[in-house]
Amino acid sequence: MLKEIQVYFSLEFLNSIFVKTCNLKDFYRFIIANFKKLSFGWVLTFLSSFGQTFLISLYVPEIIKSFSISEGTFGAIYAGCTVTASVIMLSLGHNVDHKPAKTVTAFSITGLAIASILLGFSYHFAVLILAIIMLRLFGQGLLTHISMTLISKIFDKNRGKALSFSSLGFSIGEAILPILITTIISFYNWRIAAICSGVLLLFYLIKLKFTNLDHFDEQLISIKGNSTKKMVRNYKEIIFNRKFGIIMPAVFAVSFINTAVFFYQYIFVEEKQWSVTLYASFFTAYAITRLVFSLFGGVWVDKYTAKKLFRFYLIPLNIGLLPFAFMDSILGALAFLILAGITTGISGTVKTAIIAEIYGTKNLGAIRSIFTMFMVISTALGPLLVGLLIDNNFSVSTILLCLSILLILVVFNSQRIGKIEK
């Protein structure tokens, strides 16, 4: 009964906000008019799920058993592989600026398919490490990067709505794929599940062969001589620029905190002696909130600009950490999940739109690859650092308070965005 009441009021509340702030008919017309382009972005974010932590984590218990390693050892391996993938990402991300969309997409899909199949056949430790690096590189890294970059380039006036629709692939992947993968694992084993994932990706290549993506290639820029080396030299200039110092901490913080908290959420819940089953049911509210606010984010970016939203979108997550840390009632966890869903939903659009607004779209692939690299690194460092705090007997309240203080500093830093011109 509690779950039904929770879902009902969540839906009613979010629906009332959406009706007041968004023109549903305009959004619907925009989607219908541009469905071919938007669906391509949506599919890529959906398929990126095969390299995301939430899906890879389903294999972890069996991988640990198969290789006779501890959870801590695998955590360190996973962090190392993720960081390695992020560094490689920096050398590949710029290709979306000057190579046809079909070429870079086929390359990434093929790499992710091979990675999934390698994971299924990873009887040697070296193969396991290679598979994880490739999963993180081609899945979380390149497919997400290609989708967000191409959509940002082709849409200007309605960039926010376009990005928000494309980012729904993340939510759908989180809803569908864990059920599919766990079902295959329960009937067969984790290796078969990984191989099936790779085969599914290869089937998409057949569809891609007959998909016309020429409309994404209109803004390609030519590459001459050693322009790649020049771009690498320019990375230092970009990183030490004031713009980067304002935008990067916010991009880093969302992934860092979300990954860290969700990675250890059940440890936190058990320490507070809350019902794990009831907490798990609260994820319905999180999923609904994230899904709806990913649409809000798109509409608001088009209406108010990403620069204005950038100053405030981290605040709900920051507020949500406090009841999770200090409330004795499990309703504190529900408050966190709803508020985290707001920030996470909006961030999917804002993080890419702000880069396009500030830096322009000409070299968006190269510039965004730098941000993607640091974002991927944050997903490795979050669980690693929080895990060290747990190992050193820091309480849940202390850990979450530290994360909240960190986020407050980032929010203050984000206020400087108003002084930055494109």
Side-chain angles (χ1 to χ4, degrees):
M1 178 61 71
L2 177 61
K3 182 178 178 180
E4 283 76 10
I5 293 174
Q6 162 204 333
V7 173
Y8 173 78
F9 281 107
S10 296
L11 286 171
E12 285 297 309
F13 172 69
L14 295 173
N15 181 63
S16 66
I17 296 177
F18 197 72
V19 169
K20 292 177 181 178
T21 59
C22 305
N23 190 323
L24 290 176
K25 289 185 179 180
D26 285 349
F27 206 162
Y28 177 75
R29 292 194 193 101
F30 171 73
I31 293 172
I32 296 301
N34 300 278
F35 186 75
K36 184 177 180 181
K37 299 172 184 176
L38 296 174
S39 62
F40 174 72
W42 182 92
V43 168
L44 292 194
T45 57
F46 175 79
L47 295 179
S48 76
S49 299
F50 291 104
Q52 303 280 4
T53 298
F54 78 88
L55 205 62
I56 297 174
S57 65
L58 300 177
Y59 303 121
V60 173
E62 296 302 321
I63 291 176
I64 289 172
K65 291 178 183 177
S66 298
F67 288 90
S68 300
I69 57 178
S70 67
E71 288 84 350
T73 299
F74 182 80
I77 292 171
Y78 190 71
C81 291
T82 299
V83 172
T84 301
S86 70
V87 174
I88 299 173
M89 169 75 198
L90 193 61
S91 65
L92 297 177
H94 66 91
N95 285 310
V96 72
D97 289 328
H98 53 77
K99 290 186 182 298
K102 185 176 289 190
T103 300
V104 294
T105 302
F107 172 74
S108 300
I109 293 289
T110 302
L112 187 57
I114 293 173
S116 297
I117 295 171
L118 277 177
L119 183 64
F121 287 104
S122 58
Y123 294 98
H124 192 280
F125 204 69
V127 179
L128 174 67
I129 292 175
L130 177 61
I132 294 175
I133 291 174
M134 292 177 66
L135 284 170
R136 302 297 280 159
L137 171 62
F138 293 107
Q140 184 188 34
L142 283 174
L143 281 187
T144 299
H145 175 66
I146 293 168
S147 173
M148 297 292 101
T149 302
L150 291 178
I151 292 298
S152 293
K153 280 174 173 284
I154 201 170
F155 292 99
D156 184 13
K157 182 180 178 181
N158 294 296
R159 180 180 292 129
K161 288 191 283 289
L163 288 171
S164 66
F165 182 83
S166 297
S167 67
L168 291 180
F170 296 123
S171 300
I172 304 302
E174 291 172 348
I176 296 176
L177 292 178
I179 299 173
L180 176 63
I181 296 299
T182 53
T183 299
I184 297 175
I185 292 175
S186 63
F187 277 96
Y188 299 98
N189 58 60
W190 70 276
R191 294 186 183 278
I192 296 297
I195 294 170
C196 287
S197 298
V199 173
L200 177 64
L201 288 161
L202 291 175
F203 273 119
Y204 177 72
L205 283 178
I206 298 175
K207 181 181 183 305
L208 183 65
K209 172 72 175 178
F210 301 99
T211 302
N212 183 6
L213 300 178
D214 291 344
H215 41 271
F216 287 113
D217 298 335
E218 295 174 358
Q219 297 186 44
L220 290 179
I221 57 176
S222 61
I223 179 171
K224 298 179 180 180
N226 63 342
S227 60
T228 302
K229 293 181 180 179
K230 290 180 181 178
M231 181 57 65
V232 171
R233 288 198 299 267
N234 289 338
Y235 284 154
K236 182 177 180 181
E237 180 181 343
I238 294 171
I239 290 174
F240 287 97
N241 187 277
R242 183 186 179 193
K243 300 176 184 178
F244 187 85
I246 296 174
I247 299 174
M248 174 46 62
V251 174
F252 189 95
V254 174
S255 301
F256 179 89
I257 292 175
N258 275 349
T259 307
V261 173
F262 287 129
F263 200 85
Y264 294 107
Q265 58 191 327
Y266 290 107
I267 294 177
F268 295 162
V269 169
E270 289 176 357
E271 183 176 322
K272 283 180 165 288
Q273 298 181 332
W274 290 338
S275 167
V276 174
T277 303
L278 184 57
Y279 175 82
S281 73
F282 286 164
F283 261 87
T284 306
Y286 171 77
I288 293 171
T289 307
R290 178 180 179 180
L291 181 67
V292 175
F293 273 89
S294 66
L295 297 176
F296 287 174
V299 174
W300 291 340
V301 162
D302 290 338
K303 186 175 182 179
Y304 303 111
T305 75
K307 285 179 68 175
K308 290 183 179 179
L309 284 182
F310 182 80
R311 298 172 63 184
F312 307 108
Y313 83 102
L314 293 175
I315 293 177
L317 175 60
N318 194 10
I319 295 173
L321 288 169
L322 299 178
F324 197 5
F326 298 110
M327 284 183 64
D328 294 327
S329 169
I330 195 172
L331 292 178
L334 177 60
F336 164 74
L337 289 171
I338 291 175
L339 291 166
I342 293 173
T343 291
T344 305
I346 296 174
S347 71
T349 301
V350 171
K351 287 190 297 186
T352 296
I354 190 66
I355 297 171
E357 285 185 14
I358 297 298
Y359 290 96
T361 60
K362 183 179 180 181
N363 292 300
L364 185 60
I367 295 171
R368 194 181 181 282
S369 66
I370 302 176
F371 287 89
T372 301
M373 180 190 75
F374 281 94
M375 182 274 292
V376 174
I377 289 175
S378 73
T379 64
L381 293 181
L384 185 63
L385 295 178
V386 171
L388 290 174
L389 293 177
I390 294 173
D391 290 344
N392 284 279
N393 299 317
F394 281 79
S395 68
V396 173
S397 298
T398 301
I399 293 173
L400 295 178
L401 178 61
C402 289
L403 294 178
S404 179
I405 293 172
L406 171 65
L407 204 52
I408 289 173
L409 296 176
V410 174
V411 170
F412 276 116
N413 181 67
S414 298
Q415 305 312 303
R416 299 192 295 149
I417 195 70
K419 300 179 181 179
I420 297 297
E421 299 295 332
K422 178 175 177 181

